[in-house]
Amino acid sequence: MKVLLVYPEFPDTYWSFRHALRFEGKGSAFPPLGLLTVAAMLPSTWEQRLVDMNVRRLEEADIEWADIVFASAMIVQKDSLEQVIRLCKTQGKRVVVGGPYVSTSTEQLPEADHIFVGEAETTLPEFVHDLELGIARRVYKAAERPSLTSVPVPHFQLAELSRYSAMSVQYSRGCPFNCEFCDIIEIYGRVPRTKTNEQMLSELDALRSLGWRGQVFIVDDNFIGNKRNVKKLLPELVEWSERHGHPFLFVTEASVNLAEDDQLLEMMRRAHFRRVFLGIETPVEESLKEAQKGQNTRRDLLESVKKIQAYGMEVMAGFIVGFDNDPEDIFERQIDFIRESAIPLAMVGLLTALPDTQLWRRLEREGRMLKESTGNNTDGSLNFIPVMDKTRLVEGYQKILRTIYSPAEYYQRALDCLSHLTHEGPEPHRGSMMSSLTAFMHVILTLGVRDRERVEFWRYLKRATISHRKYFAHAITLAAMGYHFRKLTEGI
Ligand code: B12
Ligand code: SF4
C-alpha cells in the first residue's frame, strides 16, 4: 500500500509567520505533527510520502503514485482541504481525513471516504484491519481518549526538515482548566495525559539523529497541565540536554499559573526553554470570570509575565476582545497591558465561538449565533452577535492591532522584552534565522534599506546593539517577526 499524507495550505494569517519566514527561506514554521504521528501508526509495510502544501506544491504525480491519501486540517485549512479531496477523488483515490477540523465540525465533507473524529491511536489499527477485510466504515470515533504511553515516535524523517524553522514534539494532550471558549478541552479532554520520559527522550533522540538543531516546539495545549509528571520529566530533559551539548532550545504553551512555581520555572530555564505562549486573554477581571478563566483572576497578570521573563523566557501571549463584560475602554486597556508587559508577539483576536464549545452552546441558547467560525480569530469577522456595538468592536480591535504593530510601539516593546530577559547560554534562534548570514542580510536589506519605516529599524538596531548585544540574534528575529505582523496589519 502506498499512502500519501497531505497537509493543506494555511491562509496568510498572523500565525502563518509567512513574511518573517521568507527571510530565512523557510516554507513554514512547524511540520504537521498530526500526520507524522499517524504515519508512525500505520503498518511498516506501507510506503509513505508527505506533501505539506505550505512548503511545496501538491503535484498530480504525487496523487497518481498513491493508493490512498490521508489528509489532516484545522478549520482555517478547510478550503484547501476541500480542493485536495476533490483532486484526489477525480483521480479515483480513496481519501481519509482526520484532525481538529473534522473532529469538531458538523459539516460532512461528502467527498471524503473515511473520517476520523478525535485522536486516532485506537481507531487507526481498527481501520487498517477493516480495510484489509474490505469492511472499512465511513466514520471512526474512539470510544475513549487514548493513553499516550503507546504513541510511537512520529515519522519525522518524512518531513523536509530544512524547510521548517522549528520542529515539533508533543508531551501531553488536554488541559485541566475550563475556559468557556476553548475547544481543546472538548477535543482532548480535561485530564492531561502525558507520554513517558523515555518516549519524550526517544523523540528528541530521533530529531537529533536526523541532524536537527535549534528550536523545538513542545506543542502541548498546556505543558504544565500535569505538573506532577512534568516535574519528573524536566530533570531528565536537563540531563539529556547537557549530555548532548544543548542541541535544542524549547518553546511551549502554558497557563499563567506557571508564574507561581519557581521550582518549575528554574527547571525550564535549565532545560533551555526560551519562549512560552500564555493565554492571558484580557486584563479585565469581569471578562476573565465570564470566560471561566479562574486561573488568570486573583493574580497580578503583569507581575506574572515579568516573573516568567526573568527566567529567560520571552513571553508570547493570546489576547481577546469581544467578551460580554468588556468595558468601553477595553481597547486602550489591552494596548496598555501589552505595552507594559513587554510582550512583542501579542496575538490579539476577536472572540470566536468555535464549534462544540461551551461558548457556542451558550450563544446558541441565547439566540446569538450567526454562522460557523472561519477558524481564524484574527480576520476581523464575528460569528455571533456581541453585546458591544459590532462596528465599534471591530474598529476598536483594528485599532489595537494598528497601534501595537506600529514600528515605534513594536520596537519599544521588543527592547523592553530584551531588557527583562536574563539567561546565560545560547540565544533562542541559534540554528535558525540568525545563524545564516544570508537571512541576516535579507533582514537588513528589507527592513533597513527598502522599508519606509527604515529609520525606526536603525534606531532599534542601534539601541539593541548597545544595550542587548548578548541577545543580538533574538533582537533581529523579533524585528523580522514585527515586520510580518505589520505587513498583515496593513491589510486589515
Ligand atoms: C502546533 C499548533 C499550531 C502550529 C501549526 C503547526 C502545524 N504545522 O500543524 C501553529 C502555531 C502555526 C498553529 C496555528 C494556528 N492554530 Co493551531 N495548534 C497547534 C497545536 C497546539 C498542536 C498541533 C499538533 O501538532 N498536535 C499534535 C498531533 C499529534 O495531534 P493532532 O493533530 O490532533 O493529531 C491526532 C488526531 O487529530 C488524529 N489526526 C490528525 N490528523 C489526522 C489525519 C488522518 C488521516 C487521521 C486518520 C487521523 C488524524 O491523529 C493524531 C493522533 O491522535 C493544536 C492543539 C492540539 N492539541 O493539537 C492547535 C490547534 C490545532 N490550532 C488551532 C488554531 C485555531 C490555530 C490558528 C487558527 C490560531 C488562531 N487562533 O487563529 C492558527 C492557524 C494557522 C494559520 N497559519 O493560520 C486549533 C484548531 C481548532 C480547529 N477545530 O480547527 C487547535 C486545536 C488549538 C486551539 N483550540 O486553538 N497551530
Ligand atoms: S487554559 Fe488554554 S487550553 Fe486550558 S482550557 Fe483554558 S484556553 Fe483551553
Side-chain angles (χ1 to χ4, degrees), residues 373-404:
S373 161
T374 59
N376 172 13
N377 66 351
T378 59
D379 64 5
S381 67
L382 278 164
N383 72 334
F384 67 96
I385 302 167
V387 167
M388 189 182 284
D389 171 70
K390 181 175 177 271
T391 313
R392 177 164 163 67
L393 178 56
V394 174
E395 284 176 5
Y397 168 64
Q398 292 170 342
K399 180 184 156 196
I400 299 181
L401 291 175
R402 290 200 188 102
T403 309
I404 65 171

Side-chain angles (χ1 to χ4, degrees), residues 174-186 189-190 220-222 253-257 277-279 281 291-293 295-296 320 358:
C175 174
F177 296 113
N178 190 27
C179 305
E180 191 193 30
F181 56 80
C182 178
D183 63 343
I184 285 290
I185 48 180
E186 310 290 340
R190 289 189 57 201
D220 296 15
D221 308 315
N222 183 355
E253 307 185 326
S255 43
V256 180
N257 56 320
F277 180 93
L278 303 177
E281 328 303 4
Q292 299 169 188
K293 203 142 188 144
Q295 69 275 26
N296 285 25
I320 298 176
Q358 299 175 74

